[in-house]
Amino acid sequence: MDDDRVVELETPSGETGDALTEVLRKGARRMLDEAVEAEVETFLAVHGAMKDGSGRRQVVRNGYLPEREIRNEGRNNLCKIQKF
């Protein structure tokens, strides 16, 4: 009985092995993307008409920054940031 050992198995980074957790994680990521998109659209709607002295718009959508990895709750997550 003295030889009993509990060994904790590690899962590869970003994988939980739990399908429900992965579905929830993807849903949360999608909701966050949609919220950021709505915020950008609102910002552009309010400030999109601003023009400089030459008549060019000062606030425009300008694509995304390169994806980067952020660490949250011990996991690495990819995120992309909009430019405007």
Side-chain angles (χ1 to χ4, degrees):
M1 290 290 184
D2 293 332
D3 291 331
D4 289 346
R5 295 187 184 121
V6 176
V7 177
E8 187 173 329
L9 299 176
E10 295 182 23
T11 57
S13 178
E15 294 181 17
T16 62
D18 179 11
L20 179 59
T21 301
E22 289 304 316
V23 167
L24 293 173
R25 220 178 274 283
K26 287 179 184 177
R29 215 174 277 133
R30 190 174 337 121
M31 284 176 41
L32 183 58
D33 287 343
E34 290 173 8
V36 169
E37 180 67 28
E39 190 172 338
V40 168
E41 289 296 326
T42 301
F43 184 85
L44 289 172
V46 171
H47 301 287
M50 293 174 53
K51 296 187 178 186
D52 63 9
S54 301
R56 293 178 291 196
R57 293 188 307 166
Q58 289 187 325
V59 181
V60 295
R61 182 180 292 264
N62 196 16
Y64 294 89
L65 293 171
E67 277 190 342
R68 64 182 180 157
E69 211 171 75
I70 58 170
R71 188 158 182 83
N72 186 14
E73 296 181 8
R75 300 193 185 293
N76 293 332
N77 298 305
L78 289 177
C79 74
K80 58 182 180 179
I81 300 170
Q82 297 186 19
K83 297 188 321 186
F84 58 95

